[in-house]
C-alpha cells in the first residue's frame, strides 16, 4: 500500500521559509488524515521538500512508513555522507548507508549524488539500467548498482516526476513579485496537464488507424486557438488611403538594396495573395 504526497506547497516556500519544516510536516499529516489512511501501515513516498528525520520518525511511531529523497542540509542527518562530495562516492553506482533505529539514510552516485531517507527499506541493493558513453564514443545500456530504496522511490514517484516534467514544457509563467499570481498560473498549468491526461483516456478521442495520438504541444496549441480564435481578425485597421498608388508600387518592380529590412509594398501584396 503506497501513497504519494504531491502538492504545490513549495511554490510559496519563500513566504514561509522560517517554518519550512513545520509546514511540510503539517502538509503530509493533513494529507494522510484527509485520505483516511493515517496509522494503517501505508507506505508514503514524498519528495525532498517534505522529507526530514523528524517527520519520518513521527510517522513511524504512528505506524505509517515513509521514504523520500532528502535535502542534505536537513538537521539530524549523518554529515559524513550527506554532502555534495562524500568520501568514497566517486564512480557511478557507488553508495553508502547509515542507520539510526528505523531511519535508513543513503547516498548514491548516479550522474550526481542522490540522497534519500526511509523507514521502509534496509541496505538491500539492486540494479538499474543506464545509458553510458563507451570509450569508442558510442552509447550503450549497462546495469548499474542501485539501492532498492531509491529504485522503489523512482517507481512510486515516477508519475509525479513525469507531471513535473510536463509542466515545464510550453509553460507561460513569468517572473512576478506577487506569489499569488505565481500560484494562480501554476494551477492553470496543472489544469492543462490534467485535461490532457483525461483527453488521452477518453474513448471519444482515441486516434484512428494510421493516426498518431495528439501530442502535448498540439493539445496546448488547440487550447490557445480555442481561447483567442474568436477575438482576433486578419483585417487591416485604419481608414483606407484615398490617394492612388504609384505605378512602381503596383506594376513594375525593380529590386534594390535598402538599409531597412521591411518588405516593399509589391512583395508584401504578392505574398499576401
Amino acid at each position: 500500500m503506497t501513497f504519494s504526497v504531491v502538492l504545490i506547497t513549495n511554490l510559496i516556500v519563500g513566504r514561509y521559509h522560517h517554518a519550512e519544516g513545520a509546514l511540510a510536516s503539517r502538509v503530509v499529516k493533513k494529507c494522510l488524515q484527509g485520505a483516511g489512511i493515517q496509522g494503517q501501515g501505508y507506505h508514503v513516498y514524498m519528495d525532498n521538500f517534505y522529507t526530514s528525520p523528524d517527520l519520518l520518525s513521527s510517522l513511524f511511531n504512528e505506524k505509517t512508513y515513509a521514504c523520500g529523497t532528502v535535502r542534505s542540509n536537513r538537521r539530524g542527518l549523518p554529515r559524513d555522507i550527506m554532502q555534495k562530495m562524500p568520501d568514497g562516492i566517486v564512480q557511478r553506482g557507488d553508495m553508502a548507508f547509515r542507520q539510526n533505529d528505523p531511519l535508513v539514510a543513503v547516498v548514491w552516485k548516479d550522474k550526481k549524488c542522490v540522497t534519500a531517507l526511509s523507514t521502509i527499506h534496509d541496505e538491500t541493493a539492486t540494479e538499474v539500467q543506464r545509458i553510458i558513453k563507451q570509450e569508442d564514443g558510442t552509447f550503450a545500456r549497462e546495469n548499474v548498482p542501485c539501492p532498492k530504496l531509491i529504485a522503489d522511490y523512482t517507481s512510486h514517484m515516477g508519475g509525479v516526476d513525469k507531471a513535473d516534467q510536463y509542466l515545464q514544457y510550453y509553460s507561460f509563467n513569468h517572473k512576478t513579485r506577487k506569489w499569488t499570481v505565481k500560484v494562480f498560473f501554476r494551477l492553470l498549468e496543472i489544469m492543462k496537464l490534467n485535461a490532457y491526461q483525461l483527453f488521452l483516456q477518453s474513448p471519444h478521442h482515441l486516434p484512428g488507424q494510421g493516426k498518431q495520438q495528439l501530442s502535448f504541444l498540439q493539445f496546448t496549441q488547440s487550447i490557445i486557438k480555442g481561447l483567442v480564435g474568436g477575438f482576433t481578425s486578419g483585417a487591416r485597421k485604419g481608414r483606407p488611403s484615398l490617394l492612388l498608388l504609384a505605378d512602381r508600387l503596383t506594376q513594375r518592380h525593380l529590386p534594390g538594396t535598402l538599409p531597412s529590412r521591411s518588405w516593399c509594398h509589391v512583395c508584401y501584396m504578392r505574398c499576401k495573395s
Side-chain angles (χ1 to χ4, degrees):
M1 297 182 292
T2 62
F3 181 78
S4 298
V5 177
V6 188
L7 288 175
I8 60 166
T9 315
N10 50 345
L11 290 174
I12 53 177
V13 62
R15 187 174 176 86
Y16 300 98
H17 182 72
H18 63 284
E20 178 180 319
L23 172 64
S25 297
R26 289 199 305 271
V27 168
V28 174
K29 292 183 178 181
K30 193 171 183 179
C31 285
L32 297 175
Q33 190 175 11
I37 60 174
Q38 194 172 20
Q40 298 183 25
Y42 275 81
H43 292 178
V44 181
Y45 288 83
M46 61 192 80
D47 64 20
N48 59 27
F49 175 78
Y50 305 96
T51 309
S52 67
D54 292 338
L55 174 60
L56 266 64
S57 297
S58 177
L59 293 177
F60 182 83
N61 294 332
E62 298 172 3
K63 297 183 180 180
T64 299
Y65 312 104
C67 172
T69 53
V70 64
R71 299 177 183 179
S72 57
N73 59 355
R74 295 285 193 193
R75 288 184 300 178
L77 295 176
R79 294 303 171 194
D80 59 332
I81 64 171
M82 293 294 178
Q83 49 184 300
K84 290 184 177 180
M85 300 179 64
D87 294 336
I89 309 299
V90 180
Q91 298 180 351
R92 201 169 199 169
D94 290 345
M95 65 188 80
F97 293 87
R98 297 292 185 271
Q99 183 167 0
N100 182 16
D101 294 332
L103 289 173
V104 175
V106 63
V107 59
W108 175 60
K109 177 72 173 180
D110 194 16
K111 284 186 177 180
K112 58 182 181 180
C113 287
V114 181
T115 53
L117 198 64
S118 176
T119 57
I120 306 171
H121 303 85
D122 53 18
E123 300 182 6
T124 305
T126 183
E127 288 186 341
V128 294
Q129 282 195 340
R130 291 291 185 268
I131 299 177
I132 299 177
K133 188 175 182 179
Q134 307 298 310
E135 295 181 357
D136 57 358
T138 60
F139 292 87
R141 291 184 177 273
E142 293 185 6
N143 290 331
V144 176
C146 173
K148 193 174 186 303
L149 186 161
I150 293 179
D152 287 349
Y153 169 85
T154 304
S155 175
H156 294 296
M157 289 292 288
V160 179
D161 293 336
K162 190 173 182 180
D164 291 339
Q165 181 181 1
Y166 265 95
L167 290 177
Q168 301 303 318
Y169 298 152
Y170 326 120
S171 175
F172 54 84
N173 285 336
H174 297 283
K175 289 184 178 180
T176 175
R177 294 183 179 180
K178 295 184 178 180
W179 66 269
T180 53
V181 176
K182 190 171 183 180
V183 171
F184 172 76
F185 283 112
R186 179 71 172 186
L187 289 174
L188 286 183
E189 293 283 359
I190 295 174
M191 290 169 59
K192 182 179 70 174
L193 176 61
N194 290 342
Y196 177 65
Q197 296 298 329
L198 292 174
F199 175 83
L200 295 181
Q201 297 176 17
S202 172
H204 302 291
H205 298 94
L206 293 177
Q209 187 175 5
K211 295 183 179 180
Q212 292 184 347
Q213 200 171 48
L214 196 69
S215 67
F216 189 49
L217 174 59
Q218 293 171 332
F219 182 80
T220 302
Q221 291 173 338
S222 66
I223 292 178
I224 295 172
K225 291 177 182 178
L227 291 174
V228 304
F231 301 94
T232 59
S233 174
R236 300 182 65 182
K237 297 181 180 180
R239 293 185 302 169
S241 176
L242 300 178
L243 299 177
L244 296 177
L245 294 175
D247 290 343
R248 64 181 179 81
L249 297 180
T250 58
Q251 299 177 8
R252 191 162 179 250
H253 179 216
L254 297 177
T257 303
L258 299 175
S260 174
R261 294 185 178 181
S262 301
W263 284 18
C264 74
H265 178 78
V266 177
C267 293
Y268 174 76
M269 296 305 294
R270 285 177 179 174
C271 292
K272 183 179 179 182
S273 59

